[in-house]
Amino acid sequence: MPRREIESTQAVPDQKAKPKAKKALNNNKPILKWAALALGGLVLACVLVVGVAVALIYPSLPDVKQLADYQPKLPLRVLTSDGVVIGEFGEERRQLVPLDQIPKVMKDAVIAVEDARFYEHGGIDTIGLARAVLSNMLHGMRQGASTITQQVARNVYLTSERTFSRKLREALIALQLENELSKDQILEIYLNQIYLGQRAYGFAAASDAYFGKPLKSITLAEAAMLAGLPKAPGANNPVVNPRRARARQLYVLDRMESLRFVSAEQVSQAREEKLQLRGVNDPDRPHAEYVAEMVRQQMVAQYGDSAYTRGLTVSTTLVASDQAAAYQALRRGILDYERRQPWRGPEQTVKVPQDAAGQDDAVEDALAAHPDDGEVLAVVVLEASSKQLVVVGRDGESLKITGDGLRLAQAGLSARADARQRIARGAVLRVSKNAKGAFEVVQLPEVEGAFVGLDPRDGAIKALVGGFDFGQNQFNHVTQAWRQPGSSFKPFIYSAALEKGFAPSTVVNDGPLFFDRGTTGGQPWEPKNYDGNFEGPMTVRHALEKSKNMVTIRVLQSIGTNYAQEWSGRFGFDADKQPPYLPMALGAGSVTPLQMAVAYGVFANGGFRVSPYLVSKVVERGDKVLFEVKPPVLDESIRAIPARNAFVMSTLLQSVVRSGTGSKAYQALRRDDLYGKTGTTNDSFDTWFTGFQPSRVGVVWIGYDQPRQLGVRGETGGSLSLPVWTGYMQRALRGVPVAKSGVPQGVALIDGDWYYDDYPPGRAVATLDVETAPGFGGPGVPPGAVPGFGGNPPAEAMVGAPPSAPAPAQAPDRNWILDLFRR
């Protein structure tokens, strides 16, 4: 089409319309004028209001200059002797770390997601604020625009309430901070001050809380996960809500890449990295909650409530590897015991919808009420049959359990299972990996246990586990549980007997004993050996190896119960907990595991009684030493028994481990410097193994808080407690050379056994048959023929009630006379 034609087709403006438009504009001028005046007035009013508010608020603003010397509340921290953190107490779990010691990747991650223009603005990011306002207007989002400086102002000086006055104070303080402090100082405060969940304040504390590692070792993936926490430390917590935490982590990585803090390749690798959260996939973590609580109580008693805020660091005598070994050995022993017990049924059964979304929500809700217990994981059953279980854990991944993994739960998979035991869709169970690395169904134990390991040379406690799980039961069985020691108490009877002329080769009759009512003054008493058999005359050494009850009773009768009670006090036992009656021979008194460790330490260190201790050093903020322990020196001032007594008793306890009831220890460890004794009380209510190597004493106790039989057929110290002891010692003695024991003065090796010099063959008690002693139906031996023998035991020595002790871990209130099947 010709150009002129195109032009000719264009519309010609209506010249008559101009006057009308002009007239309309003239008519609207008053409206526009008043609108402009109103807007200006509104702006002026806002300025005036803000000005007045600033004038009123400014005088009450804090002096931010003090933040130049940032001194936050620091918690009470408890460490092992090798510097591993085992506990923190206080409102704020925090570690103060200078900015130059915080990794660049951590600083970049925080700046990328919290305040990308941190080093450009003056405390208030006007560009970011405008962007947030526009986004909120267009999309209805609640996008924040607080800078890192504003967050410091809020966290240090203000609350989180959403009011105009608080926001204004926050902005004013932020401007002050920027005027008084450098950017690096502000960032350092932020990185040490911000709350990040798990009671952790600051990224150093969070790195330890979530990953069990120092901040300096953080990876890009871990840094991104932590940097996602300040916005919502509860909702984005990877322990509580792994899915939301993962989404936030990916957002942080994208921001870091877009700002060119990291490369696309680094982000790709970080996306693939599988994070190892502390307490979930960290089997070597030295769980020492009972120790940490003991220290907390001691520090509060010493320093009051200021112990929680003054930055105390307490070093203990614990060794991290020893503590981990003790924790794992005790839990393994208790879980092995549970595998031999009947199936008790699911912990709960919930309704699980068939649709994926409903299933995920139901599983998440169910598992929230059943937290994992270390390596014992909570799962929800999705499919159940007699041959297979399909379960899902809190990570959302399903797994199949078949074969031996179903052994414990077979009763619940049977078609005839009762409602309490039945396993079906929605059942909440526990699973754990077995020795082969395959998952199996387990159940949380009802039984309890305790382990304590100490160095007998100075009393330093190297490992202490007060129960299966501190979170479930805070009762410390090492220090608070008064239980009957059973046959593990027999060595103290034999130690007393050595001073009365007995020798390891003394022959005592392992024959029946019977005490009628006239003798006991109460119930007839016919004690038995554990196996119900009698083997006739045998040496004291062989009797202790086989834990023969009849021999120990005869020996105690010979030396006298009052003397044995006094002698046991030398080892640290409470006299009122060891009444001077014949059942003392079989461990019918009450002891704590810690007392047993101290007592066996007397044998281990050559006869010295050393007090146990746990705290070695207390340091306040600024490395000010408040307290430091000097380990004791083994000298005659703390001698409890003669060196020769400790030596001969050690040879007897070595025989128990080499060829007696504790022989499984030697088979497992293959060392010639092991000594110990099993202990099992009547009806298998308590099982013990107490033993030592010259550099380490270990005590294991297992039983129910409300005493009852351990297992349907009954367990023994050798079957239940001894494996825990060997499991610990295998690790604690790794690399420790076999100790060579010297022979003290006052003993001699004659005819293959040890004698005191003043009680050689011919003077030592050669044989003892109490059935021919006075008061037992025959003329017996003349008084004085056995040194220290004073004739008939009093009738009241046969009866009595158990000593009182704190609940719940107290020996059962049973007639001692009937409580006598021990090993």
Side-chain angles (χ1 to χ4, degrees):
M1 180 181 296
R3 182 175 178 84
R4 61 178 181 274
E5 291 183 8
I6 296 176
E7 292 176 350
S8 66
T9 60
Q10 294 179 353
V12 179
D14 187 353
Q15 298 298 322
K16 295 181 180 180
K18 287 185 178 181
K20 292 183 179 181
K22 188 174 181 179
K23 184 178 181 180
L25 184 61
N26 290 334
N27 292 336
N28 290 333
K29 276 184 178 182
I31 298 175
L32 294 175
K33 180 179 178 180
W34 284 108
L37 289 173
L39 180 61
L42 180 62
V43 170
L44 181 61
C46 289
V47 171
L48 288 173
V49 169
V50 171
V52 171
V54 169
L56 293 173
I57 292 173
Y58 194 84
S60 64
L61 293 179
D63 181 6
V64 300
K65 292 180 180 179
Q66 62 182 337
L67 278 185
D69 182 26
Y70 177 57
Q71 295 288 332
K73 293 179 180 179
L74 294 180
L76 167 65
R77 303 181 74 222
V78 186
L79 313 178
T80 65
S81 61
D82 39 354
V84 178
V85 179
I86 56 174
E88 287 186 296
F89 299 95
E91 295 177 4
E92 303 174 358
R93 177 192 288 178
R94 188 197 312 277
Q95 300 174 33
L96 189 57
V97 183
L99 186 66
D100 59 3
Q101 295 180 24
I102 297 175
K104 183 177 183 298
V105 67
M106 188 72 257
K107 291 182 282 192
D108 287 347
V110 170
I111 290 173
V113 72
E114 290 296 326
D115 190 356
R117 288 171 32 82
F118 172 69
Y119 281 100
E120 300 170 23
H121 61 68
I124 300 174
D125 187 2
T126 54
I127 296 176
L129 179 62
R131 185 187 303 114
V133 170
L134 181 61
S135 177
N136 292 343
M137 291 175 60
L138 294 177
H139 306 292
M141 300 170 60
R142 297 183 64 182
Q143 187 178 109
S146 292
T147 64
I148 284 177
T149 311
Q150 287 175 276
Q151 291 185 59
V152 169
R154 180 169 65 248
N155 289 323
V156 175
Y157 297 110
L158 305 172
T159 66
S160 297
E161 61 178 341
R162 295 178 177 274
T163 63
F164 171 75
S165 62
R166 197 275 294 167
K167 292 293 291 184
L168 183 58
R169 290 174 66 87
E170 177 185 298
L172 294 173
I173 294 173
L175 293 174
Q176 282 188 316
L177 288 172
E178 291 279 348
N179 186 54
E180 296 290 343
L181 306 178
S182 69
K183 286 287 188 179
D184 284 351
Q185 285 178 305
I186 295 171
L187 183 60
E188 180 180 294
I189 294 170
Y190 178 82
L191 295 174
N192 282 285
Q193 177 75 20
I194 194 72
Y195 178 63
L196 299 168
Q198 300 292 99
R199 290 195 307 108
Y201 288 78
F203 286 91
S207 179
D208 179 68
Y210 289 104
F211 304 120
K213 63 194 301 185
L215 187 60
K216 64 183 180 181
S217 303
I218 207 84
T219 67
L220 172 58
E222 292 166 338
M225 180 67 77
L226 295 182
L229 290 169
K231 182 177 179 64
N236 295 332
N237 186 323
V239 175
V240 177
N241 199 329
R243 285 184 293 176
R244 287 194 60 170
R246 171 65 172 168
R248 182 69 174 166
Q249 177 204 32
L250 296 179
Y251 171 73
V252 175
L253 290 171
D254 289 341
R255 287 285 297 161
M256 294 181 74
E257 182 182 358
S258 67
L259 293 170
R260 298 184 180 179
F261 287 159
V262 292
S263 66
E265 182 181 358
Q266 289 175 303
V267 169
S268 178
Q269 292 175 354
R271 285 173 175 268
E272 298 300 320
E273 182 179 330
K274 188 173 180 62
L275 300 186
Q276 303 294 319
L277 294 177
R278 182 177 186 176
V280 178
N281 299 308
D282 186 9
D284 293 324
R285 175 188 173 191
H287 291 266
E289 294 86 355
Y290 290 96
V291 173
E293 175 59 16
M294 291 170 68
V295 172
R296 184 196 69 79
Q297 293 180 15
Q298 185 175 341
M299 291 301 103
V300 172
Q302 181 72 28
Y303 302 107
D305 289 341
S306 67
Y308 297 125
T309 59
R310 61 191 292 184
L312 298 181
T313 297
V314 182
S315 296
T316 68
T317 56
L318 250 59
V319 176
S321 60
D322 277 31
Q323 182 66 22
Y327 176 81
Q328 292 166 18
L330 182 63
R331 285 177 68 91
R332 187 183 307 116
I334 290 177
L335 288 174
D336 285 346
Y337 165 79
E338 282 293 345
R339 290 182 177 95
R340 302 191 289 269
Q341 305 315 303
W343 171 246
R344 293 191 291 270
E347 295 180 20
Q348 184 184 5
T349 299
V350 299
K351 185 176 181 180
V352 179
Q354 293 296 332
D355 64 287
Q359 175 178 295
D360 290 346
D361 290 342
V363 168
E364 187 172 322
D365 290 343
L367 296 183
H370 299 270
D372 293 339
D373 191 336
E375 73 280 21
V376 182
L377 310 179
V379 296
V380 176
V381 174
L382 300 181
E383 299 177 19
S385 70
S386 60
K387 296 184 178 180
Q388 176 179 280
L389 282 177
V390 178
V391 300
V392 62
R394 65 185 70 252
D395 60 1
E397 297 183 8
S398 62
L399 58 95
K400 295 180 180 180
I401 302 176
T402 59
D404 289 343
L406 301 175
R407 181 179 302 171
L408 176 64
Q410 280 299 333
L413 296 172
S414 169
R416 297 188 298 273
D418 62 40
R420 185 174 54 86
Q421 291 185 316
R422 184 174 298 115
I423 299 175
R425 181 178 174 86
V428 179
L429 309 178
R430 297 283 171 168
V431 299
S432 183
K433 286 186 177 180
N434 59 25
K436 297 179 180 179
F439 277 101
E440 63 178 342
V441 176
V442 296
Q443 51 192 352
L444 283 178
E446 294 180 345
V447 74
E448 272 296 353
F451 180 91
V452 59
L454 59 79
D455 188 332
R457 298 166 296 186
D458 61 6
I461 296 173
K462 300 299 184 180
L464 188 152
V465 185
F468 181 81
D469 178 22
F470 182 81
Q472 300 293 326
N473 187 352
Q474 288 80 49
F475 187 83
N476 190 335
H477 297 85
V478 168
T479 60
Q480 296 176 288
W482 292 90
R483 304 298 289 230
Q484 293 183 336
S487 292
S488 61
F489 195 80
K490 288 177 180 177
F492 307 107
I493 304 300
Y494 287 112
S495 173
L498 291 179
E499 300 303 305
K500 294 297 186 180
F502 281 78
S505 60
T506 299
V507 175
V508 183
N509 184 27
D510 176 34
L513 284 171
F514 177 76
F515 304 90
D516 59 24
R517 292 176 183 270
T519 304
T520 66
Q523 294 290 329
W525 179 28
E526 187 176 8
K528 305 287 185 182
N529 286 319
Y530 178 81
D531 58 7
N533 298 321
F534 305 100
E535 298 184 26
M538 62 177 61
T539 64
V540 164
R541 182 177 296 277
H542 187 66
L544 187 60
E545 287 175 2
K546 302 304 180 185
S547 200
K548 291 295 185 176
N549 293 338
M550 303 300 102
V551 172
T552 313
I553 294 171
R554 286 183 164 94
V555 169
L556 178 57
Q557 274 192 304
S558 173
I559 65 175
T561 55
N562 287 314
Y563 173 72
Q565 180 198 46
E566 182 277 328
W567 187 261
S568 71
R570 294 169 176 256
F571 295 87
F573 295 117
D574 298 342
D576 61 342
K577 297 289 198 302
Q578 312 300 329
Y581 310 140
L582 285 183
M584 180 198 301
L586 310 182
S590 293
V591 301
T592 68
L594 184 58
Q595 280 188 331
M596 291 293 279
V598 172
Y600 270 74
V602 175
F603 295 138
N605 64 26
F608 302 96
R609 179 177 155 192
V610 181
S611 298
Y613 73 101
L614 182 61
V615 174
S616 60
K617 189 176 183 180
V618 180
V619 178
E620 194 175 13
R621 183 201 311 251
D623 296 330
K624 179 183 178 182
V625 177
L626 301 181
F627 172 78
E628 190 166 8
V629 169
K630 292 183 179 180
V633 177
L634 299 182
D635 58 32
E636 294 305 309
S637 66
I638 57 172
R639 178 168 291 284
I641 61 175
R644 65 179 185 176
N645 188 296
F647 173 79
V648 174
M649 283 306 307
S650 292
T651 71
L652 290 171
L653 293 170
Q654 186 178 46
S655 295
V656 174
V657 173
R658 290 297 299 268
S659 54
T661 57
S663 60
K664 289 181 181 178
Y666 179 76
Q667 295 168 12
L669 299 172
R670 293 293 174 183
R671 297 177 63 107
D672 292 327
D673 57 349
L674 302 177
Y675 315 81
K677 183 69 184 75
T678 55
T680 310
T681 64
N682 186 37
D683 295 326
S684 297
F685 278 35
D686 303 89
T687 71
W688 297 78
F689 188 81
T690 305
F692 61 90
Q693 187 269 354
S695 67
R696 188 73 82 252
V697 175
V699 176
V700 183
W701 166 84
I702 295 177
Y704 288 98
D705 276 343
Q706 299 301 325
R708 57 187 171 96
Q709 186 173 23
L710 287 161
V712 177
R713 293 179 295 275
E715 299 272 355
T716 67
S719 68
L720 186 51
S721 294
L722 177 55
V724 176
W725 189 87
T726 57
Y728 167 78
M729 286 294 183
Q730 281 175 330
R731 189 161 172 181
L733 299 180
R734 189 178 299 163
V736 177
V738 175
K740 304 295 183 182
S741 58
V743 179
Q745 293 183 345
V747 295
L749 183 63
I750 304 173
D751 296 331
D753 218 331
W754 295 98
Y755 290 82
Y756 281 9
D757 284 351
D758 44 353
Y759 289 120
R763 290 198 62 197
V765 178
T767 60
L768 176 69
D769 188 345
V770 180
E771 287 155 312
T772 61
F776 287 86
V781 294
V786 178
F789 180 70
N792 296 332
E796 63 268 19
M798 303 299 174
V799 295
S804 60
Q810 161 63 359
D813 186 10
R814 307 191 298 277
N815 189 311
W816 284 12
I817 303 305
L818 302 179
D819 183 22
L820 298 164
F821 298 91
R822 306 176 189 281
R823 186 177 186 179

